[in-house]
Amino acid sequence: MPLRIWLPLNGDLRNNGLSDVTVTNNNATVNTAGKIGSCYSFGTASSYLTMPSTTMTSLTDECTLSFWLYIISWNTAYATFFQAGTGGAPWNNYVFGVLRNSQTSKLCFTITNKNNTSSSASYLTSDLSTSTWYHLTFV
């Protein structure tokens, strides 16, 4: 499977994948202290990147997500680190996502199938620490 969307996020929002997609920055900032150079920093719930919802509806039944994550502090329960969906309220419109599992120091990977049945918090990481770089991959 070729890379359809590949966002290195190393200072710009250029997609190096095969799909023609526009990524919009909403208050995220470029930080030069990333794991492998520049990265994007998301400090609050009001900082995020978006793509058109048609980007998600055009995917087939298989997908892989991989990214570096550095958690500065544990904030809100169920804080979302990554959500691929069709917009609106996250739980109702997730295709897949990575978020904090309640108030724990674990992340959960959630998937919704075509019948809109969510896996919820079925797939959990081990406990994660703040101020540590993690490379996460979900298939």
Side-chain angles (χ1 to χ4, degrees), residues 1-63:
M1 174 184 1
L3 289 172
R4 304 239 342 250
I5 302 169
W6 174 24
L7 304 173
L9 300 179
N10 57 359
D12 62 44
L13 298 176
R14 180 182 45 234
N15 175 26
N16 290 337
L18 297 177
S19 295
D20 183 19
V21 64
T22 301
V23 180
T24 304
N25 181 359
N26 298 280
N27 300 315
T29 58
V30 175
N31 183 330
T32 58
K35 177 68 174 172
I36 54 176
S38 292
C39 65
Y40 273 71
S41 179
F42 306 90
T44 66
S46 65
S47 59
Y48 54 95
L49 303 177
T50 59
M51 292 181 277
S53 61
T54 54
T55 304
M56 292 312 305
T57 57
S58 68
L59 291 177
T60 59
D61 294 333
E62 298 176 355
C63 189

Side-chain angles (χ1 to χ4, degrees), residues 64-83:
T64 301
L65 167 69
S66 190
F67 58 93
W68 284 99
L69 178 68
Y70 185 89
I71 303 166
I72 296 170
S73 65
W74 293 108
N75 294 333
T76 309
Y78 296 106
T80 300
F81 293 98
F82 179 87
Q83 183 227 351

